[in-house]
Amino acid sequence: DTAVSQTPKYLVTQMGNDKSIKCEQNLGHDTMYWYKQDSKKFLKIMFSYNNKELIINETVPNRFSPKSPDKAHLNLHINSLELGDSAVYFCASSQIGEISNYGYTFGSGTRLTVV
Amino acid sequence: AQSVTQLGSHVSVSEGALVLLRCNYSSSVPPYLFWYVQYPNQGLQLLLKYTTGATLVKGINGFEAEFKKSETSFHLTKPSAHMSDAAEYFCAVSRPNYGQNFVFGPGTRLSVLP
């Protein structure tokens, strides 16, 4: 069983479209994250949810909206996609208080290409 | 605020040679430190971590790292590189009890030459 699963793995779409990326974790963790990895491999946190509550909201265009229906799911919706949104988006999860044991567990990523 | 620097965005070694990937951090409190590896087209996998206790930590695939507080460093080493070690390596720092403050370094791409 995949611990943190993201769908889709690849997403190619046109500018201006709206798209969603889904993430699910079966580890029982209470915190989930979205990271953006740019073409230079730099990882930047976008959002973090703890027990369905937003706890980190970095400087991200408001075209990006996370939604956490429950603590096992964290979806990312992107409106009016732009060329600069092309990147790999990683979902991750952790258990606050157990970072020392396990760190973060990452999904395999969603490669978004905006054309 | 915490930050991580990794000296050298790209490191090349010959197969069988020593691997040394550098990581320096800044943190206002004793940090937790991690190394992650990212193989091509894959997610990040935890290699090893330092939280408390022994400053030399061993991880998977023969890697180890040593926490040196005086140098604010957490360099990653492996005595003998294997072709399968070619990947992107990320150092990360976390503030204890604030797991959401997980900051990654910019990454170092390791190439292993035959």
Side-chain angles (χ1 to χ4, degrees), chain A residues 12-105:
Chain A
V12 181
T13 187
Q14 291 186 324
M15 284 175 54
N17 284 350
D18 302 339
K19 290 293 179 184
S20 291
I21 307 171
K22 296 185 176 181
C23 180
E24 176 182 5
Q25 55 96 1
N26 62 7
L27 298 167
H29 288 167
D30 60 5
T31 307
M32 297 183 71
Y33 313 81
W34 278 111
Y35 277 83
K36 179 180 181 180
Q37 186 175 47
D38 61 23
S39 59
K40 295 184 179 179
K41 301 292 186 181
F42 186 71
L43 280 158
K44 182 175 170 57
I45 191 165
M46 301 173 69
F47 303 103
S48 174
Y49 272 74
N50 176 256
N51 284 321
K52 302 195 302 176
E53 289 193 24
L54 182 65
I55 56 172
I56 292 178
N57 184 359
E58 293 296 311
T59 305
V60 175
N62 57 15
R63 298 181 294 103
F64 290 79
S65 54
K67 285 187 172 52
S68 182
D70 55 61
K71 72 174 190 177
H73 295 84
L74 180 61
N75 304 323
L76 183 65
H77 189 76
I78 315 170
N79 289 328
S80 303
L81 278 155
E82 300 177 357
L83 292 177
D85 298 331
S86 296
V88 181
Y89 293 84
F90 285 101
C91 178
S93 72
S94 71
Q95 182 69 20
I96 296 292
E98 293 185 8
I99 294 293
S100 60
N101 290 332
Y102 306 112
Y104 285 13
T105 302

Side-chain angles (χ1 to χ4, degrees), chain B residues 7-8 10-13 17-23 35 63-66 68 73-81 89 108-110:
Chain B
L7 185 62
H10 185 202
V11 170
S12 290
V13 300
L18 172 71
V19 176
L20 170 61
L21 304 182
R22 299 178 187 274
C23 172
W35 275 99
F63 283 93
E64 61 183 37
E66 186 171 12
K68 292 187 177 181
S73 69
F74 190 56
H75 301 331
L76 182 70
T77 60
K78 182 174 180 177
S80 177
Y89 290 81
T108 297
R109 181 161 61 94
L110 175 66

Side-chain angles (χ1 to χ4, degrees), chain B residues 15-92:
Chain B
E15 191 173 18
L18 172 71
V19 176
L20 170 61
L21 304 182
R22 299 178 187 274
C23 172
N24 289 86
Y25 69 91
S26 67
S27 177
S28 57
V29 298
Y32 290 167
L33 295 159
F34 303 81
W35 275 99
Y36 280 83
V37 60
Q38 183 181 24
Y39 297 105
N41 298 315
Q42 294 187 28
L44 281 78
Q45 178 182 359
L46 181 65
L47 263 183
L48 49 78
K49 58 178 170 63
Y50 168 80
T51 55
T52 58
T55 56
L56 180 64
V57 292
K58 295 185 185 300
I60 61 172
N61 301 338
F63 283 93
E64 61 183 37
E66 186 171 12
F67 169 58
K68 292 187 177 181
K69 184 178 177 181
S70 61
E71 299 177 7
T72 61
S73 69
F74 190 56
H75 301 331
L76 182 70
T77 60
K78 182 174 180 177
S80 177
H82 192 272
M83 298 295 288
S84 61
D85 294 327
E88 193 86 20
Y89 290 81
F90 294 92
C91 183

